[in-house]
PDB file of all heavy atoms in Angstrom:
ATOM      1  N   GLU A 235     -16.840   3.975 -12.177  1.00 96.00           N
ATOM      2  CA  GLU A 235     -15.442   4.425 -12.366  1.00 96.00           C
ATOM      3  C   GLU A 235     -14.548   3.339 -13.064  1.00 96.00           C
ATOM      4  O   GLU A 235     -13.372   3.586 -13.362  1.00 96.00           O
ATOM      5  CB  GLU A 235     -14.756   4.714 -11.034  1.00 96.00           C
ATOM      6  CG  GLU A 235     -15.431   5.851 -10.298  1.00 96.00           C
ATOM      7  CD  GLU A 235     -14.927   6.086  -8.787  1.00 96.00           C
ATOM      8  OE1 GLU A 235     -14.118   5.236  -8.351  1.00 96.00           O
ATOM      9  OE2 GLU A 235     -15.310   7.031  -8.202  1.00 96.00           O
ATOM     10  N   MET A 236     -15.089   2.222 -13.487  1.00 97.00           N
ATOM     11  CA  MET A 236     -14.179   1.172 -14.016  1.00 97.00           C
ATOM     12  C   MET A 236     -13.938   1.296 -15.516  1.00 97.00           C
ATOM     13  O   MET A 236     -14.861   1.758 -16.282  1.00 97.00           O
ATOM     14  CB  MET A 236     -14.834  -0.195 -13.738  1.00 97.00           C
ATOM     15  CG  MET A 236     -14.854  -0.551 -12.222  1.00 97.00           C
ATOM     16  SD  MET A 236     -14.795  -2.286 -11.849  1.00 97.00           S
ATOM     17  CE  MET A 236     -16.219  -2.905 -12.768  1.00 97.00           C
ATOM     18  N   TYR A 237     -12.817   0.888 -16.019  1.00 98.00           N
ATOM     19  CA  TYR A 237     -12.498   0.788 -17.342  1.00 98.00           C
ATOM     20  C   TYR A 237     -12.728  -0.586 -17.781  1.00 98.00           C
ATOM     21  O   TYR A 237     -11.881  -1.525 -17.474  1.00 98.00           O
ATOM     22  CB  TYR A 237     -10.970   1.170 -17.626  1.00 98.00           C
ATOM     23  CG  TYR A 237     -10.747   2.653 -17.461  1.00 98.00           C
ATOM     24  CD1 TYR A 237     -10.301   3.197 -16.252  1.00 98.00           C
ATOM     25  CD2 TYR A 237     -10.926   3.472 -18.596  1.00 98.00           C
ATOM     26  CE1 TYR A 237     -10.090   4.604 -16.083  1.00 98.00           C
ATOM     27  CE2 TYR A 237     -10.736   4.891 -18.323  1.00 98.00           C
ATOM     28  CZ  TYR A 237     -10.312   5.342 -17.134  1.00 98.00           C
ATOM     29  OH  TYR A 237     -10.037   6.706 -17.064  1.00 98.00           O
ATOM     30  N   THR A 238     -13.803  -0.820 -18.497  1.00 97.00           N
ATOM     31  CA  THR A 238     -14.262  -2.110 -18.895  1.00 97.00           C
ATOM     32  C   THR A 238     -14.389  -2.225 -20.372  1.00 97.00           C
ATOM     33  O   THR A 238     -14.781  -1.227 -21.127  1.00 97.00           O
ATOM     34  CB  THR A 238     -15.611  -2.413 -18.214  1.00 97.00           C
ATOM     35  OG1 THR A 238     -15.400  -2.366 -16.701  1.00 97.00           O
ATOM     36  CG2 THR A 238     -16.200  -3.787 -18.634  1.00 97.00           C
ATOM     37  N   TRP A 239     -13.988  -3.353 -20.985  1.00 97.00           N
ATOM     38  CA  TRP A 239     -14.220  -3.515 -22.430  1.00 97.00           C
ATOM     39  C   TRP A 239     -14.490  -4.998 -22.720  1.00 97.00           C
ATOM     40  O   TRP A 239     -14.231  -5.876 -21.977  1.00 97.00           O
ATOM     41  CB  TRP A 239     -13.012  -3.129 -23.216  1.00 97.00           C
ATOM     42  CG  TRP A 239     -11.817  -4.000 -23.025  1.00 97.00           C
ATOM     43  CD1 TRP A 239     -11.368  -4.862 -23.854  1.00 97.00           C
ATOM     44  CD2 TRP A 239     -10.887  -3.980 -21.907  1.00 97.00           C
ATOM     45  NE1 TRP A 239     -10.161  -5.521 -23.353  1.00 97.00           N
ATOM     46  CE2 TRP A 239      -9.875  -4.975 -22.148  1.00 97.00           C
ATOM     47  CE3 TRP A 239     -10.776  -3.181 -20.756  1.00 97.00           C
ATOM     48  CZ2 TRP A 239      -8.811  -5.194 -21.356  1.00 97.00           C
ATOM     49  CZ3 TRP A 239      -9.705  -3.576 -19.828  1.00 97.00           C
ATOM     50  CH2 TRP A 239      -8.713  -4.476 -20.098  1.00 97.00           C
ATOM     51  N   GLU A 240     -15.032  -5.187 -23.828  1.00 96.00           N
ATOM     52  CA  GLU A 240     -15.362  -6.480 -24.441  1.00 96.00           C
ATOM     53  C   GLU A 240     -14.078  -6.966 -25.057  1.00 96.00           C
ATOM     54  O   GLU A 240     -13.581  -6.385 -25.999  1.00 96.00           O
ATOM     55  CB  GLU A 240     -16.451  -6.489 -25.556  1.00 96.00           C
ATOM     56  CG  GLU A 240     -17.773  -6.209 -25.016  1.00 96.00           C
ATOM     57  CD  GLU A 240     -18.420  -7.466 -24.572  1.00 96.00           C
ATOM     58  OE1 GLU A 240     -18.658  -8.384 -25.511  1.00 96.00           O
ATOM     59  OE2 GLU A 240     -18.700  -7.693 -23.399  1.00 96.00           O
ATOM     60  N   ASP A 241     -13.462  -8.064 -24.699  1.00 94.00           N
ATOM     61  CA  ASP A 241     -12.274  -8.658 -25.286  1.00 94.00           C
ATOM     62  C   ASP A 241     -12.615  -9.760 -26.251  1.00 94.00           C
ATOM     63  O   ASP A 241     -13.099 -10.795 -25.822  1.00 94.00           O
ATOM     64  CB  ASP A 241     -11.406  -9.107 -24.151  1.00 94.00           C
ATOM     65  CG  ASP A 241      -9.963  -9.087 -24.541  1.00 94.00           C
ATOM     66  OD1 ASP A 241      -9.464  -8.036 -25.062  1.00 94.00           O
ATOM     67  OD2 ASP A 241      -9.248 -10.068 -24.427  1.00 94.00           O
ATOM     68  N   ARG A 242     -12.552  -9.394 -27.526  1.00 92.00           N
ATOM     69  CA  ARG A 242     -13.047 -10.324 -28.588  1.00 92.00           C
ATOM     70  C   ARG A 242     -12.315 -11.654 -28.582  1.00 92.00           C
ATOM     71  O   ARG A 242     -11.132 -11.629 -28.539  1.00 92.00           O
ATOM     72  CB  ARG A 242     -13.013  -9.664 -29.949  1.00 92.00           C
ATOM     73  CG  ARG A 242     -14.387  -8.874 -30.156  1.00 92.00           C
ATOM     74  CD  ARG A 242     -14.254  -8.147 -31.617  1.00 92.00           C
ATOM     75  NE  ARG A 242     -13.165  -7.278 -31.665  1.00 92.00           N
ATOM     76  CZ  ARG A 242     -12.126  -7.358 -32.531  1.00 92.00           C
ATOM     77  NH1 ARG A 242     -12.140  -8.228 -33.470  1.00 92.00           N
ATOM     78  NH2 ARG A 242     -11.160  -6.365 -32.566  1.00 92.00           N
ATOM     79  N   ALA A 243     -13.018 -12.723 -28.791  1.00 89.00           N
ATOM     80  CA  ALA A 243     -12.384 -13.999 -28.953  1.00 89.00           C
ATOM     81  C   ALA A 243     -11.517 -14.012 -30.251  1.00 89.00           C
ATOM     82  O   ALA A 243     -11.890 -13.358 -31.294  1.00 89.00           O
ATOM     83  CB  ALA A 243     -13.460 -15.147 -29.052  1.00 89.00           C
ATOM     84  N   ARG A 244     -10.345 -14.523 -30.156  1.00 89.00           N
ATOM     85  CA  ARG A 244      -9.456 -14.667 -31.323  1.00 89.00           C
ATOM     86  C   ARG A 244      -9.340 -15.969 -32.103  1.00 89.00           C
ATOM     87  O   ARG A 244      -8.889 -16.191 -33.019  1.00 89.00           O
ATOM     88  CB  ARG A 244      -8.030 -14.181 -30.992  1.00 89.00           C
ATOM     89  CG  ARG A 244      -8.008 -12.826 -30.434  1.00 89.00           C
ATOM     90  CD  ARG A 244      -6.668 -12.165 -30.604  1.00 89.00           C
ATOM     91  NE  ARG A 244      -6.072 -12.424 -31.963  1.00 89.00           N
ATOM     92  CZ  ARG A 244      -4.850 -12.164 -32.269  1.00 89.00           C
ATOM     93  NH1 ARG A 244      -3.972 -11.639 -31.422  1.00 89.00           N
ATOM     94  NH2 ARG A 244      -4.397 -12.415 -33.498  1.00 89.00           N
ATOM     95  N   ALA A 245      -9.929 -16.980 -31.327  1.00 90.00           N
ATOM     96  CA  ALA A 245      -9.994 -18.399 -31.868  1.00 90.00           C
ATOM     97  C   ALA A 245     -11.310 -18.937 -31.434  1.00 90.00           C
ATOM     98  O   ALA A 245     -11.959 -18.513 -30.518  1.00 90.00           O
ATOM     99  CB  ALA A 245      -8.863 -19.155 -31.444  1.00 90.00           C
ATOM    100  N   GLN A 246     -11.745 -20.107 -32.159  1.00 89.00           N
ATOM    101  CA  GLN A 246     -12.937 -20.796 -31.860  1.00 89.00           C
ATOM    102  C   GLN A 246     -12.920 -21.246 -30.398  1.00 89.00           C
ATOM    103  O   GLN A 246     -14.004 -21.291 -29.714  1.00 89.00           O
ATOM    104  CB  GLN A 246     -13.059 -21.945 -32.811  1.00 89.00           C
ATOM    105  CG  GLN A 246     -13.333 -21.533 -34.143  1.00 89.00           C
ATOM    106  CD  GLN A 246     -14.785 -21.773 -34.560  1.00 89.00           C
ATOM    107  OE1 GLN A 246     -15.236 -22.891 -34.617  1.00 89.00           O
ATOM    108  NE2 GLN A 246     -15.435 -20.717 -34.806  1.00 89.00           N
TER     109      GLN A 246
END
Side-chain angles (χ1 to χ4, degrees):
E235 297 173 358
M236 295 205 304
Y237 287 95
T238 296
W239 71 99
E240 286 275 294
D241 206 51
R242 272 181 298 124
R244 296 205 48 188
Q246 291 258 294

